[in-house]
Amino acid sequence: MDLLAVTAEPTGEQRLVTIYRSTAVRHLGEHEDHGPLHPSAAAATRAGTALAARLSVPFHFASPDRPDDQAPRWRP
């Protein structure tokens, strides 16, 4: 799963990180309950939310229930 930064000026997107299932499980802890989310989605949500808060920008996850690299991008 890729965590992307989508920019308005200039218009574009930049991959920040690729989160693999095995890395997500190690990061989250093997027994942590992440609800119905795929472990990669849970790790991406945690990282993206923290980064967005730090930079004071919005965070949007287009496809939290299942990995989907073709999901529509949210534009501010």
Side-chain angles (χ1 to χ4, degrees), residues 1-72:
M1 175 169 295
D2 292 331
L3 186 59
L4 305 173
V6 178
T7 58
E9 283 294 325
T11 302
E13 60 186 41
Q14 180 66 40
R15 182 181 9 209
L16 301 175
V17 66
T18 299
I19 302 174
Y20 298 96
R21 178 182 173 75
S22 59
T23 305
V25 169
R26 282 195 309 273
H27 172 72
L28 296 171
E30 215 170 306
H31 301 292
E32 181 174 324
D33 179 25
H34 42 78
L37 292 180
H38 187 278
S40 296
T45 298
R46 184 180 290 180
T49 301
L51 181 60
R54 175 82 174 161
L55 298 174
S56 299
V57 297
F59 175 73
H60 173 72
F61 199 154
S63 181
D65 298 331
R66 59 181 167 43
D68 182 359
D69 290 339
Q70 301 305 312

